Amino acid sequence: MTKSKFKICIVDDQLPFLKEVDDTHLIGSKDIQKIVVNKGGWNQEKDLLYLTTLLLQCELFKKGKLEIKWAKNPNFLLNAIKNEKYLPNLVIYDWEYGTSFMVPEDTLSELIESLGRTFFFIYSAYAQNIPIHLFKNIFDNYADRFQVLLKGDSSYVTNSEEIIFEYIALRVEKNPTIKIGGMDVHFNSSGFLSDYKDILYLDNLLGREAILKGLMKLKNVLSEETISNMLDNLNLKIYSSNNESVITLDDVKSNQKLFGPLKVISNNYAYKKLGLKMLKELIENGTVKVN
Amino acid sequence: MAAPTLKELKSFGELIEPFQRNTRGKTKSSLKPAHAINSYESGIGDKIFDATNDGMPHHPKKINLVTDEIISQIESYQIPKNEKKLYCFLWLLNKDGLKLLWENVENLLDQEDREVKHTNITEAGLAFHGGELFFTNDNRIFVNNKSDRYGDSKSEHWRGVIAYFKKTYNKYQIIDLKPDDI
């Protein structure tokens, strides 16, 4: 019995038109491939093309672990969901549709409500102009099921398209090959490295250049060991309270008064105890409470 | 309440870029675009309160007030961050005066934790100082200097900041939480 595929739906009207492909309902991966190969019409959508190519050319897709469909209009996906023809695990949802501005928050909220556990990337060239306040109240109930991404955003070492790919890869495999800054990187899940967001936290801690340099030096492997190696360049001196419930960078009287005597702990131990998210908080705040 | 006088501005020290006083390796180039925006569309712009006009912030509609016990738990990190954010306002002092932003405002463009930062108030621009602020139900305001972007203020300038807080919120007792050694 074959394991079910991870189902993806890209909802975006910017897929170029190709005469031989019927785009009035969900488009399958073979037809998407034809449109990609044809290359015409992608001029304004190089980031969308990069994402599509990344998905169609990855090992996970070649191994049959992904199913990819495309809806040029959100209603095509809604119909497929209502008819139980396609229930995606991930929806990559563009915000703008042509010149007539449909009400994207209504369609999106209907999609989110129809799909109980599906994650959504709201993937838009105008992410910073989306009137989030209009739909924030509606979506508060689904806060953990969507993330807004700017098309082509490269403010992190891993750009928006790679972030989407990382999310997918880590949902399908524990130790997948991912893309960071265009490089193939082996992601070795364990301990404090398990989620695509860990790469964002790492970027926050070290910055793009240090990560890329570190990866090249460490044979393009992202693991606890290689990350610890990179983090050591921060030259942190880390202290904890006696019961290790508080970790701080400041061995000063005011902290000793609050938390009791402080002791130095090894950086490796601190990384493991905190994880990357809390390590980021430690750098930001100077002190963190450990649960 | 007017903007700071020339004398007050002088007492604050120099205007700084984000992270300029940071000693933990962060620089302005570490800033992500999501932490440098405060547009109306982002849902942040309309929630920044201009405290030079005195009074309580207009967002949230009902402010969560702290007690002595809660502030003590916040100070000793006994309250989780997500809970602390319900009480906490980020404050920022620039040449126009004090600005406040509820820390619990959600920044949907922040890909990491959907958080607002002090640089959302300044759009990554210049400011004198920043920190956190908590209101009590008995007209007291607790103020600290916790900001990796605009914190680490020198004590001689910090005195000017506290004096300006006292002038701005003259019906309140300002309680300084900044330790001398950080």
Side-chain angles (χ1 to χ4, degrees), chain A residues 22-67:
Chain A
D22 177 5
D23 61 6
T24 58
H25 53 77
L26 289 189
I27 303 167
S29 52
K30 279 185 185 164
D31 282 337
I32 300 171
Q33 186 80 54
K34 284 181 199 165
I35 296 169
V36 168
V37 170
N38 186 50
K39 288 197 185 301
W42 290 94
N43 296 350
Q44 303 298 316
E45 290 289 341
K46 62 179 176 53
D47 301 312
L48 188 60
L49 174 61
Y50 176 60
L51 172 67
T52 312
T53 310
L54 202 56
L55 295 176
L56 290 172
Q57 292 183 354
C58 73
E59 283 303 310
L60 298 173
F61 182 70
K62 287 176 187 165
K63 284 191 247 173
K65 293 187 174 184
L66 306 181
E67 185 170 356

Side-chain angles (χ1 to χ4, degrees), chain A residues 10-173:
Chain A
I10 302 174
V11 184
D12 196 318
D13 65 343
Q14 293 302 308
L15 182 72
F17 174 75
L18 190 64
K19 203 177 172 185
E20 63 201 82
V21 174
D22 177 5
D23 61 6
T24 58
H25 53 77
L26 289 189
I27 303 167
S29 52
K30 279 185 185 164
D31 282 337
I32 300 171
Q33 186 80 54
K34 284 181 199 165
I35 296 169
V36 168
V37 170
N38 186 50
K39 288 197 185 301
W42 290 94
N43 296 350
Q44 303 298 316
E45 290 289 341
K46 62 179 176 53
D47 301 312
L48 188 60
L49 174 61
Y50 176 60
L51 172 67
T52 312
T53 310
L54 202 56
L55 295 176
L56 290 172
Q57 292 183 354
C58 73
E59 283 303 310
L60 298 173
F61 182 70
K62 287 176 187 165
K63 284 191 247 173
K65 293 187 174 184
L66 306 181
E67 185 170 356
I68 305 168
K69 291 197 185 291
W70 198 298
K72 281 190 88 167
N73 185 304
N75 288 320
F76 300 158
L77 176 58
L78 269 174
N79 289 339
I81 294 165
K82 281 174 189 163
N83 297 327
E84 295 190 4
K85 284 187 175 165
Y86 196 62
L87 301 171
N89 302 97
L90 173 70
V91 174
I92 301 161
Y93 185 89
D94 182 33
W95 187 261
E96 306 82 29
Y97 289 89
T99 49
S100 60
F101 203 75
M102 54 195 294
V103 189
E105 64 267 27
D106 288 352
T107 325
L108 181 57
S109 92
E110 201 176 340
L111 279 171
I112 290 186
E113 280 169 2
S114 312
L115 293 162
R117 296 167 69 182
T118 302
F119 192 81
F120 286 72
F121 282 109
I122 301 170
Y123 176 65
S124 163
Y126 303 95
Q128 299 198 354
N129 298 319
I130 294 174
I132 284 165
H133 59 283
L134 287 181
F135 69 86
K136 181 166 178 324
N137 291 339
I138 306 168
F139 288 157
D140 268 353
N141 295 334
Y142 312 109
D144 57 348
R145 283 183 46 211
F146 71 90
Q147 176 62 51
V148 180
L149 287 179
L150 177 67
K151 279 181 180 173
D153 181 15
S154 55
S155 52
Y156 286 90
V157 65
T158 174
N159 62 30
S160 293
E161 291 68 33
E162 290 172 346
I163 285 173
I164 293 172
F165 180 64
E166 260 77 298
Y167 174 87
I168 295 165
L170 283 160
R171 286 287 305 273
V172 178
E173 284 188 351

Side-chain angles (χ1 to χ4, degrees), chain A residues 173-185:
Chain A
E173 284 188 351
K174 195 171 178 240
N175 300 315
T177 297
I178 57 166
K179 286 269 184 197
I180 295 184
M183 293 193 299
D184 284 327
V185 172

Side-chain angles (χ1 to χ4, degrees), chain A residues 245-261:
Chain A
S245 65
V246 172
I247 292 187
T248 182
L249 297 173
D250 302 309
D251 181 20
V252 291
K253 278 185 185 166
S254 56
N255 278 346
Q256 290 160 5
K257 197 174 157 191
L258 280 169
F259 314 125

